[in-house]
Amino acid sequence: MNTSFVLKPNDKKFVIKDHFPDLAKDKKMGIFLSGGMESTLLLLIAQMVYGKDKVLAFYSDNIFSANDPVRGKYIVANVMRTAEFCDVDPIFVNFDYELHLSNRQKSHEDKITYLQ
């Protein structure tokens, strides 16, 4: 297996040992998909490193769109293309964008609770 991957054109380097730590046998890891190249690459690498059954994919229509419905539809379309390509069934996360802007800590706590 490759020990690193480079995403072009921005030359973002993902190093397996640095970006993908060991995972306990009873644990899974999650990737939050935006439908872009970076999250798709992360999902593919995580599936290679941990095995497909140990990787969950999450998405939200408004986390990356700032509640813009047109952009949200575009993001969902990209996420679904990524899901098909990577053969995953992504889990929708309802993301309260306004709470995230007003109280990031509470927003993060809510997401952690929801995902657990």
Side-chain angles (χ1 to χ4, degrees):
M1 175 171 39
N2 288 344
T3 58
S4 67
F5 296 85
V6 178
L7 181 63
K8 296 289 185 177
N10 64 0
D11 293 326
K12 173 64 180 165
K13 187 173 186 178
F14 296 99
V15 179
I16 300 297
K17 67 180 177 65
D18 294 339
H19 293 102
F20 298 88
D22 291 336
L23 191 62
K25 290 184 181 201
D26 64 334
K27 300 292 181 186
K28 293 185 178 189
M29 69 97 57
I31 301 288
F32 218 104
L33 297 176
S34 68
M37 293 182 347
E38 292 90 350
S39 64
T40 301
L41 179 60
L42 287 172
L43 178 61
L44 289 169
I45 295 171
Q47 287 177 335
M48 287 176 16
V49 171
Y50 301 117
K52 193 172 169 187
D53 60 324
K54 303 275 283 184
V55 180
L56 301 173
F58 300 97
Y59 79 101
S60 175
D61 58 351
N62 59 359
I63 189 171
F64 300 110
S65 71
N67 282 344
D68 176 345
V70 173
R71 190 164 179 217
K73 287 180 183 179
Y74 172 77
I75 289 168
V76 169
N78 286 342
V79 167
M80 293 307 127
R81 241 187 323 273
T82 295
E84 183 177 351
F85 179 75
C86 297
D87 192 28
V88 297
D89 188 17
I91 301 163
F92 176 75
V93 176
N94 188 18
F95 185 81
D96 184 340
Y97 185 74
E98 297 305 321
L99 176 62
H100 188 70
L101 290 179
S102 65
N103 187 339
R104 276 187 186 246
Q105 183 168 345
K106 173 82 170 111
S107 175
H108 289 173
E109 290 169 357
D110 287 356
K111 291 302 145 287
I112 289 168
T113 300
Y114 178 83
L115 294 174
Q116 288 174 336

